[in-house]
């Protein structure tokens, strides 16, 4: 296909093709691209004619890409990234007049403890923008970036796509949340004896805290796992349950309630909270503005009042 032949190619088809390769589901692609499912089905038919390949075939209850489709995706993605980057760089960005849509992936702790002041600043500088937050964690971040469902994410991260960039925002020290009124901090024996609640996106009942305890020959008993931090306020209040959470989540949770936060009675290795983004957006003026605000407002020191006296008065 030469340059003249490219005039007959609908770029929208390639966008739909990429989404189909990641989602493997016509309904989800339709929702993601704000299209009707019949339109996506018709586009798949045109793509099959274009590439002379089935591209997606039924596999059990789902659909899987053919080897030819995966090879096409591997060739097309860098080209589409380059086109997207070139168009983005050509576009001036003025936050005061922008109506851009920004798609951010946030882990629950970052959304709960760090996102509110960031959103206030974004709304102040750019009142016309739209912010879409997707729930993300180290398990989901890579696929969300690779599929283009988010342009930037904030979480503890591990493996990332080859073209992803990463910037450390802060360490993640931990605090122990408790809702009882007994004075004094917990000893290590008390910490291990008390029932524990934890926030677990995947439903696991153990995490890095348990590894740190194991290093000193101790263990805790997790009796409750919940999917998000906001529920801990009601669950811990007036009970023996305790929870070990990132300090910035603890700071938000103790605000205006009887919970208090204290240092753990043993050393916990602090993980890193990072901002990650797709390399295709590296020089996009709008995305660079967004990343600069994330870096500023999600790495600020916490206010001093992150704990409370047993009678509920913060200190």
């Amino acid at each position: 296909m030469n340059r003249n032949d490219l005039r007959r190619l609908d770029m929208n088809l390639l966008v739909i093709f990429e989404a189909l390769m990641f989602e493997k589901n016509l309904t989800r692609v339709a929702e993601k691209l704000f299209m009707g499912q019949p339109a996506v089905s018709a586009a798949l038919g045109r793509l099959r004619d274009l590439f002379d390949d089935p591209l997606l075939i039924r596999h059990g209850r789902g659909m899987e890409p053919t080897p030819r489709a995966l090879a096409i995706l591997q060739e097309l993605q860098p080209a589409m990234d380059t086109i997207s980057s070139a168009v983005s760089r050509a576009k001036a960005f003025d936050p005061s007049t922008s109506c851009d849509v920004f798609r951010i992936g946030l882990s629950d702790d970052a959304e709960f403890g760090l996102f509110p002041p960031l959103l206030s600043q974004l709304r102040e500088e750019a009142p016309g923008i739209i912010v879409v937050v997707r729930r993300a964690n180290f398990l989901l971040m890579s696929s969300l970036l690779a599929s283009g469902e988010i342009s930037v994410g904030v979480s503890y991260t591990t493996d990332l796509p080859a073209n992803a960039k990463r910037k450390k925002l802060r360490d993640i020290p931990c605090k122990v949340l408790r809702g009882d009124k007994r004075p004094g901090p917990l000893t290590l024996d008390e910490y291990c004896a008390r029932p524990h609640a934890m926030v677990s996106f995947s439903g696991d009942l153990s995490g890095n805290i348990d590894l740190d305890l194991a290093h000193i020959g101790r263990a805790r008993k997790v009796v409750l796992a919940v999917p998000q931090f906001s529920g801990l306020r009601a669950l811990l209040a007036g009970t023996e349950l305790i929870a070990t959470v990132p300090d910035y989540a603890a700071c938000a949770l103790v605000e205006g309630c009887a919970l208090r936060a204290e240092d753990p009675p043993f050393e916990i290795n602090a993980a890193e909270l990072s901002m990650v983004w797709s390399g295709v957006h590296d020089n996009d003026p709008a995305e660079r503005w967004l990343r600069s605000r994330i870096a500023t407002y999600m790495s600020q020191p916490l206010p001093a009042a992150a704990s409370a006296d047993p009678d509920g008065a913060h200190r």
Side-chain angles (χ1 to χ4, degrees):
M1 181 178 284
N2 58 36
R3 291 292 191 269
N4 286 335
D5 292 330
L6 283 175
R7 291 182 302 169
R8 300 195 300 269
L9 178 63
D10 182 355
M11 276 293 296
N12 289 322
L13 280 179
L14 301 184
V15 175
I16 296 169
F17 169 77
E18 184 181 44
L20 285 167
M21 292 302 100
F22 285 107
E23 298 294 340
K24 306 170 191 174
N25 182 286
L26 272 64
T27 301
R28 288 200 296 269
V29 170
E31 292 171 350
K32 177 181 177 180
L33 300 180
F34 304 102
M35 300 171 62
Q37 185 171 330
V40 175
S41 182
L44 177 57
R46 292 173 62 192
L47 284 163
R48 284 168 168 165
D49 289 339
L50 176 65
F51 292 118
D52 192 23
D53 188 86
L55 300 180
L56 285 172
I57 56 176
R58 289 286 174 190
H59 184 77
R61 294 184 178 181
M63 303 181 77
E64 291 295 331
T66 64
R68 171 67 176 145
L70 294 175
I72 293 169
L73 177 66
Q74 190 172 8
E75 292 182 1
L76 276 181
Q77 264 201 300
M80 293 179 69
D81 286 348
T82 300
I83 293 170
S84 178
S85 180
V87 172
S88 296
R89 284 197 299 270
K91 191 173 57 171
F93 178 72
D94 180 356
S96 65
T97 60
S98 173
C99 295
D100 284 11
V101 178
F102 293 98
R103 300 182 182 276
I104 308 173
L106 296 176
S107 56
D108 185 64
D109 56 318
E111 180 184 350
F112 183 76
L114 299 173
F115 183 59
L118 168 66
L119 180 61
S120 295
Q121 183 63 27
L122 296 181
R123 296 290 301 154
E124 181 178 334
E125 291 187 45
I129 66 171
I130 298 170
V131 179
V132 179
V133 175
R134 294 290 303 272
R135 182 60 51 79
N137 62 11
F138 72 97
L139 297 172
L140 299 177
M141 192 67 75
S142 182
S143 62
L144 289 171
L145 284 172
S147 66
E149 292 177 73
I150 61 173
S151 61
V152 61
V154 176
S155 176
Y156 164 75
T157 57
T158 52
D159 297 330
L160 293 171
N163 71 336
K165 305 293 183 74
R166 184 197 320 248
K167 175 183 176 66
K168 177 184 174 181
L169 296 177
R170 66 196 304 150
D171 289 323
I172 312 179
C174 289
K175 294 284 187 179
V176 179
L177 280 178
R178 52 191 293 198
D180 63 90
K181 294 187 177 181
R182 290 201 298 275
L186 294 171
T187 66
L188 179 58
D189 286 341
E190 290 170 333
Y191 178 91
C192 294
R194 292 277 285 268
H196 288 252
M198 68 178 290
V199 177
S200 173
F201 185 85
S202 60
D204 292 336
L205 293 175
S206 64
N208 290 335
I209 301 295
D210 300 280
L211 296 177
D212 291 326
L213 280 170
H215 287 154
I216 59 173
R218 304 301 292 264
R220 63 175 177 168
K221 183 180 181 181
V222 176
V223 301
L224 174 68
V226 294
Q228 53 194 29
F229 284 85
S230 57
L232 291 176
R233 271 200 186 117
L235 294 169
L236 269 59
T239 76
E240 290 293 293
L241 280 170
I242 58 176
T244 309
V245 303
D247 61 346
Y248 47 84
C251 187
L253 281 162
V254 302
E255 187 66 33
C257 73
L259 294 185
R260 67 188 191 272
E262 61 189 43
D263 291 331
F266 64 102
E267 184 175 349
I268 295 176
N269 290 320
E272 291 184 356
L273 187 75
S274 296
M275 174 173 64
V276 295
W277 65 96
S278 172
V280 67
H281 299 296
D282 202 31
N283 293 312
D284 183 315
E287 294 290 336
R288 292 181 69 175
W289 170 80
L290 174 63
R291 293 196 303 270
S292 73
R293 298 309 181 265
I294 290 174
T296 297
Y297 286 88
M298 288 193 161
S299 59
Q300 287 183 346
L302 293 177
S307 62
D309 291 320
D311 63 0
H314 292 280
R315 66 166 188 237

